[in-house]
């Protein structure tokens, strides 16, 4: 055994919203510690793995994670000390078994994910390989040598097409707008660095446009997107289109629009509450009509959670109507869970899945969902949470797996830039070992 786990330690640290979170350090014999920090969502799905917080404790409004930290330092440490950090699948299997609950509520998905990721970093440290190479090794082991239908995605290391927040609403910006994210996808860029430069330019131009039109230009939401007070969701789309044009780029061909509707969070009693659109709540069919109209009017290429997490019928309808024209991403719907994604595939629902490691709780399960997506022609989009840290795992992970797309929030606030900057480093250091497909992954939507 080359990478025997010798020490497991955890501490409480703080995320980008000032909320406590778990940091784990795992150390192999003779090596430096591997370390990972766990992110945290605000618009969480009901089917996600459970974040353990010290609810009964008045300290930090019950948000502390001391029990999760204790679980790592005691039960989890005893279970994995002495094991081989190079065997990620076995470590994750043990963690799942040790917890023993369907949603990791006993030890906490935060305790478990922190450990799972720190083990991968510890293995990298023990053998002197970089995190991206370690994640690639783990991905190769999961993909295995069976005949699989991995298409362009997943085959080799790829820099991702970034999907970046320009305007924030919903739970991330005081519910100023009903929809959560108004994003851009620089589909016409031919490299990651060019894509990123376009994004930064559009973001800065949008700030200027907002100020010129008398809005709160530079006030930002949780993920760094601007948080102006607008009357309607459509106004936000129009502002983003205007900013793309002011940047000298072509809306649609160079830079397309994405929306994270996050509709679960305004779904009540089987209806979608959208006061800015209609005084009476919308049925799923009316919701699909509305979005179809926008897809016709604006250069929209991606819609996330257009229907709620348990509205399978509505999801089916939108997939039939728009599934060949836009990327339809299930976030709250699939929660990075193999069983839920499999159900979606069987029901012919969505064509893309958001991949958030902390929704499921181990690295192995995250990659299993990613693989199931690619095997079935669903676009995977690796994603951050609205509460983030300086941890750069998802940047290395998206490159290592060749998933093709990354969603991290906006280009302001360093917990976001930590990921984008890591990608710039990887672009430079991996050189010809890494490819870039960019917007060409959407070929099937254009034909
Ligand atoms: P969350 O938001 O991290 O608050 O869940 C991100 C998203 O909905 O994509
Ligand atoms: Zn989402």
């Amino acid at each position: 055994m080359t990478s025997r786990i010798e020490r497991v330690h955890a501490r409480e640290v703080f995320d980008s919203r000032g909320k406590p979170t778990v940091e784990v350090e795992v150390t192999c014999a003779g090596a430096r510690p591997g370390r990972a920090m766990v992110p945290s969502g605000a618009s969480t799905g009901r089917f996600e793995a459970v974040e353990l917080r010290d609810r009964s404790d008045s300290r930090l409004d019950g948000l502390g994670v001391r029990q999760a930290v204790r679980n790592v330092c005691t039960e989890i440490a005893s279970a994995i000390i002495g094991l081989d950090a190079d065997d990620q699948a076995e470590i994750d299997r043990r963690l799942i078994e040790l917890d023993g609950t369907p949603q990791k509520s006993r030890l906490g998905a935060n305790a478990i994910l922190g450990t799972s990721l720190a083990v991968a970093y510890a293995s990298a440290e023990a053998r002197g390989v970089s995190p991206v190479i370690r994640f690639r090794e783990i991905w190769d082991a999961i993909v295995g040598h069976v005949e699989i239908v991995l298409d362009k995605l997943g085959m080799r290391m790829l820099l991702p097409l970034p999907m970046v927040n320009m305007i924030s609403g919903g739970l991330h910006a005081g519910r100023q707008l009903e929809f959560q994210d108004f994003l851009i996808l620089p589909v016409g860029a031919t490299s990651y660095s060019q894509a990123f430069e376009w994004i930064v330019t559009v973001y800065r131009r949008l700030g200027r446009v907002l100020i010129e039109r008398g809005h709160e230009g530079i006030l930002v939401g949780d993920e760094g997107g601007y948080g102006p007070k607008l009357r309607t969701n459509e106004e936000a789309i129009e502002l983003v289109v205007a900013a793309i044009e002011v940047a000298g780029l072509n809306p649609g061909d160079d830079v397309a629009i994405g929306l994270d509707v996050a509709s679960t969070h305004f779904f009540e009693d089987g209806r979608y509450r959208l006061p800015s659109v209609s005084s009476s709540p919308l049925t799923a069919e009316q919701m699909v009509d509305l979005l179809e109209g926008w897809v016709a009017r604006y250069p929209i290429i991606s819609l996330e959670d257009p229907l709620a997490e348990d509205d399978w019928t509505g999801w089916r309808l939108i997939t039939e109507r728009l599934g060949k024209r836009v990327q339809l991403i299930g976030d709250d719907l699939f929660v990075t869970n193999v069983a839920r994604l499999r159900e979606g595939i069987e029901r012919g629902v969505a064509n893309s899945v958001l991949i958030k490691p902390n929704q499921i709780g181990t690295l192995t399960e995250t990659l299993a969902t990613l693989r199931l997506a690619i095997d079935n022609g669903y676009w995977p989009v690796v994603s951050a949470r609205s509460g983030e840290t300086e941890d750069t795992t998802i940047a290395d992970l998206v490159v290592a797996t060749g998933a093709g797309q990354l969603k991290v929030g906006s280009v302001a606030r360093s917990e976001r830039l930590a990921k984008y900057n890591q990608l710039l480093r990887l672009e430079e250091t991996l050189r010809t070992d890494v490819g870039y497909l960019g917007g060409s992954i959407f070929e099937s939507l254009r034909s």
Side-chain angles (χ1 to χ4, degrees):
M1 189 190 296
T2 48
S3 309
R4 187 180 172 278
I5 296 173
E6 213 169 60
R7 179 171 179 268
V8 176
H9 181 68
R11 63 176 67 88
E12 185 180 73
V13 293
F14 289 81
D15 73 12
S16 56
R17 278 192 282 244
K19 278 169 81 172
T21 191
V22 178
E23 172 171 278
V24 180
E25 284 177 3
V26 171
T27 315
C28 294
R32 286 160 29 123
R35 175 195 292 158
M37 297 161 95
V38 180
S40 171
S43 65
T44 48
R46 188 153 55 86
F47 305 100
E48 292 193 22
V50 176
E51 215 170 50
L52 192 64
R53 296 202 179 265
D54 307 326
R55 303 248 174 243
S56 55
D57 193 337
S58 61
R59 178 180 165 268
L60 296 169
D61 303 324
L63 294 171
V65 291
R66 283 187 173 164
Q67 185 56 47
V69 163
R70 257 194 306 276
N71 291 345
V72 176
C73 295
T74 56
E75 262 195 76
I76 291 179
S78 320
I80 68 167
I81 283 175
L83 299 186
D84 185 358
D86 297 345
D87 193 349
Q88 185 74 40
E90 173 60 13
I91 303 272
D92 288 343
R93 201 187 57 72
R94 295 265 187 130
L95 291 172
I96 294 164
E97 192 181 271
L98 185 68
D99 175 77
T101 67
Q103 284 178 289
K104 301 186 176 67
S105 53
R106 192 177 77 81
L107 296 170
N110 41 0
I112 293 171
L113 180 69
T115 308
S116 176
L117 296 176
V119 164
Y121 283 102
S123 159
E125 287 289 350
R127 287 175 306 109
V129 301
S130 62
V132 71
I133 298 301
R134 177 59 195 140
F135 290 135
R136 182 71 199 181
E137 291 172 354
I138 297 168
W139 175 245
D140 281 340
I142 282 178
V143 170
H145 301 289
V146 285
E147 346 74 78
I148 42 163
V149 272
L150 287 183
D151 190 7
K152 286 183 293 194
L153 298 177
M155 289 286 284
R156 54 174 306 213
M157 293 205 282
L158 290 178
L159 287 155
L161 171 69
M163 178 188 298
V164 178
N165 211 349
M166 295 287 113
I167 292 180
S168 299
L171 293 172
H172 297 170
R175 287 197 191 264
Q176 307 269 31
L177 288 162
E178 294 133 343
F179 287 14
Q180 183 177 287
D181 302 334
F182 299 83
L183 310 116
I184 58 172
L185 293 81
V187 288
T190 53
S191 67
Y192 170 74
S193 44
Q194 184 184 43
F196 196 66
E197 275 175 33
W198 287 6
I199 289 161
V200 171
T201 308
V202 174
Y203 182 78
R204 296 173 60 85
R205 294 294 175 274
L206 176 59
R208 211 186 282 167
V209 169
L210 287 167
I211 289 168
E212 280 166 10
R213 298 191 188 182
H215 296 294
E216 304 71 3
I218 48 167
L219 295 181
V220 300
D222 286 2
E223 298 190 355
Y226 297 118
K229 289 196 179 97
L230 303 175
R231 277 174 301 111
T232 64
N233 300 294
E234 263 187 291
E235 199 182 348
I237 303 176
E238 279 159 11
L239 283 162
V240 174
V241 171
I244 296 169
E245 283 166 348
V246 176
L249 295 161
N250 190 332
D253 290 333
D254 293 331
V255 180
I257 306 271
L259 304 176
D260 183 357
V261 179
S263 65
T264 300
H265 306 282
F266 54 80
F267 186 61
E268 279 164 32
D269 304 324
R271 294 274 194 285
Y272 296 88
R273 268 180 34 85
L274 281 175
S276 82
V277 173
S278 154
S279 54
S280 49
L282 307 186
T283 62
E285 194 169 352
Q286 290 170 323
M287 191 69 187
V288 177
D289 289 343
L290 177 78
L291 293 168
E292 191 170 25
W294 291 4
V295 167
R297 259 202 311 287
Y298 304 107
I300 293 173
I301 199 173
S302 181
L303 291 172
E304 180 176 332
D305 285 348
L307 283 309
E309 63 194 354
D310 33 26
D311 187 2
W312 290 101
T313 325
W315 263 103
R316 179 73 207 246
L317 184 66
I318 199 165
T319 310
E320 282 163 5
R321 301 251 296 265
L322 290 177
K324 299 263 181 297
R325 277 193 278 163
V326 290
Q327 170 168 261
L328 297 172
I329 314 174
D331 170 14
D332 290 343
L333 177 71
F334 294 138
V335 292
T336 318
N337 183 310
V338 163
R340 288 193 63 92
L341 178 58
R342 194 170 288 128
E343 183 169 357
I345 293 166
E346 279 161 13
R347 289 180 182 237
V349 149
N351 58 23
S352 169
V353 54
L354 213 66
I355 302 287
K356 292 168 163 170
N358 85 321
Q359 279 183 327
I360 188 68
T362 65
L363 184 54
T364 303
E365 290 165 290
T366 304
L367 297 181
T369 305
L370 185 53
R371 171 167 173 199
L372 181 67
I374 297 176
D375 278 350
N376 287 280
Y378 276 51
W379 288 288
V381 183
V382 175
S383 171
R385 300 308 306 247
S386 50
E388 269 293 331
T389 69
E390 60 271 35
D391 185 289
T392 53
T393 300
I394 54 166
D396 288 293
L397 201 61
V398 73
V399 170
T401 55
Q405 290 178 79
L406 182 70
K407 184 185 181 217
V408 180
S410 201
V411 291
R413 301 182 51 138
S414 283
E415 78 279 2
R416 315 286 145 191
L417 275 301
K419 282 72 159 173
Y420 294 125
N421 290 337
Q422 175 67 358
L423 292 170
L424 290 172
R425 274 177 220 116
L426 292 174
E427 180 178 50
E428 186 195 294
T429 54
L430 293 173
R431 296 160 58 94
T432 52
D433 291 336
V434 69
Y436 181 74
L437 296 173
S440 73
I441 60 171
F442 296 130
E443 247 159 50
S444 61
L445 298 178
R446 291 169 179 227
S447 53

